[in-house]
Amino acid sequence: MRDQFGRSIEYMRVSVTDRCNLRCVYCMPAEGVHCVSHSDILTYDEITRICRIAATIGISRIKLTGGEPLVRRGLPELLGMLKKISGIEQVTLTTNGILLKEQINKLVSKGLDGVNISIDTLNVDRYADITRGGKLEEALSGLEAALSFPALTVRINCVPTQDMPEEDYISLAHLARDKELDVRFIEMMPIGLGKKFGIVSEEQVYSILKNKFGEAAECTGRFGNGPAVYVHFPGFKGKIGFIDAVSHQFCNTCNRVRLTSEGYLKPCLQYGTGSDLRKLLRSGADDTAVRHEMRRTIYDKPACHHFADCISGTGQTLETRDMSQIGG
Ligand code: SAM
Ligand code: SF4
């Protein structure tokens, strides 16, 4: 369906849990994480019902996210349920990759279309620092397991921090040079703990990569679910992508909404507004009522975020949830 500004909304990010087996410094605190109680998290039947209704109003692609989606038991079963919904053309996953090796066969057998793996650096010590104890080799085993399925779209996501040395950008780019995958650099957003970190812009990253690999060709066409801009360096198997939500606002082409693990439908990352679908579902509402509420929320999607004002200090983020609660 189209929102009040005529944007076609066809992509929904579905968070299945706010729990995670890592504690990335810009995403979750080291200690004192308050987790949503199990009874407040949507069941797989409830998620499937919402996605089925969403498909009737034009959502055709779903990304499973978290927290860490693979820590929730039986995720492949949910994936299989979503893949059977008429109108849902693609179900993909974003994960830190730690549990991917042990689950990839099942996920692929249930129809997984693609996987984004978050790896911010290939330096073992810096990876452990950023994730507060994560083992890089486990994430890389997950990556290799995903790459063993050639039909699967595989992407690496990196959220650079300002102290990241140039060699980290270059070694991540080497993955796209040598393997059938894309590497994307995502600007830090002022959500939750991310507010404490500065952003590294596309221009900064590109200039480091250009010095090493030469001028890249811009890729035209649409890749993936959204706003990434891709370039191709000479001799690379895969592409390099940039997602700069703050410095290159792309709200006028935004196609997405988000469903938190508690069943809150969020039309824009920056704002806390949206709709409590869990309450509606658990009050016995029929599909027509849920559809009506989803339509209303999507139609009212705000025109744009104001993250740049948050960073300059002239505005503030109105969303109080952390990224791990929203799903990125
Ligand atoms: N645990 C999974 C993972 O790491 O991919 C899925 C959830 S995580 C919240 C989804 C994505 O959000 C990750 O790529 C993560 O790096 C990114 N992220 C977390 N906090 C962020 C922030 N403040 N700004 C930009 N991206 C952020
Ligand atoms: Fe967990 Fe993903 Fe957040 Fe890292 S970015 S703490 S892996 S949810």
Side-chain angles (χ1 to χ4, degrees), residues 13 19-22 24 26-28 64-69 94-97 116-120 157-159 186-195 323-328:
R13 294 179 70 92
R19 291 162 169 75
C20 187
N21 47 358
L22 297 180
C24 300
Y26 51 78
C27 183
M28 287 180 92
L64 296 174
T65 177
E68 172 49 41
T94 179
T95 169
N96 58 34
N116 293 353
I117 306 174
S118 300
I119 300 178
D120 292 332
N157 283 344
C158 162
V159 179
I186 302 174
E187 230 173 45
M188 185 75 69
M189 286 183 262
I191 293 274
L193 293 170
K195 288 179 204 150
M323 210 55 135
S324 59
Q325 295 171 305
I326 302 169

Side-chain angles (χ1 to χ4, degrees), residues 11-134:
Y11 171 54
M12 185 157 74
R13 294 179 70 92
V14 175
S15 173
V16 298
T17 179
D18 61 338
R19 291 162 169 75
C20 187
N21 47 358
L22 297 180
R23 290 284 180 274
C24 300
V25 289
Y26 51 78
C27 183
M28 287 180 92
E31 281 164 20
V33 179
H34 171 74
C35 289
V36 174
S37 78
H38 284 292
S39 60
D40 285 341
I41 286 194
L42 292 185
T43 66
Y44 285 165
D45 283 339
E46 288 171 327
I47 293 174
T48 305
R49 183 174 170 208
I50 290 173
C51 291
R52 189 167 40 72
I53 297 170
T56 66
I57 55 174
I59 297 292
S60 58
R61 283 168 288 135
I62 289 172
K63 171 88 71 200
L64 296 174
T65 177
E68 172 49 41
L70 297 182
V71 302
R72 181 153 175 191
R73 204 170 304 146
L75 191 80
E77 270 55 67
L78 173 67
L79 181 82
M81 288 155 81
L82 301 181
K83 284 288 291 187
K84 286 192 190 122
I85 298 174
S86 162
I88 297 297
E89 293 162 9
Q90 198 185 70
V91 184
T92 53
L93 172 74
T94 179
T95 169
N96 58 34
I98 299 292
L99 299 174
L100 193 56
K101 187 178 174 191
E102 59 195 66
Q103 297 194 33
I104 191 76
N105 287 345
K106 228 169 170 193
L107 290 163
V108 171
S109 75
K110 296 288 184 185
L112 182 69
D113 292 296
V115 61
N116 293 353
I117 306 174
S118 300
I119 300 178
D120 292 332
T121 172
L122 295 180
N123 178 287
V124 174
D125 296 329
R126 279 195 290 280
Y127 180 87
D129 286 346
I130 293 170
T131 58
R132 296 203 186 88

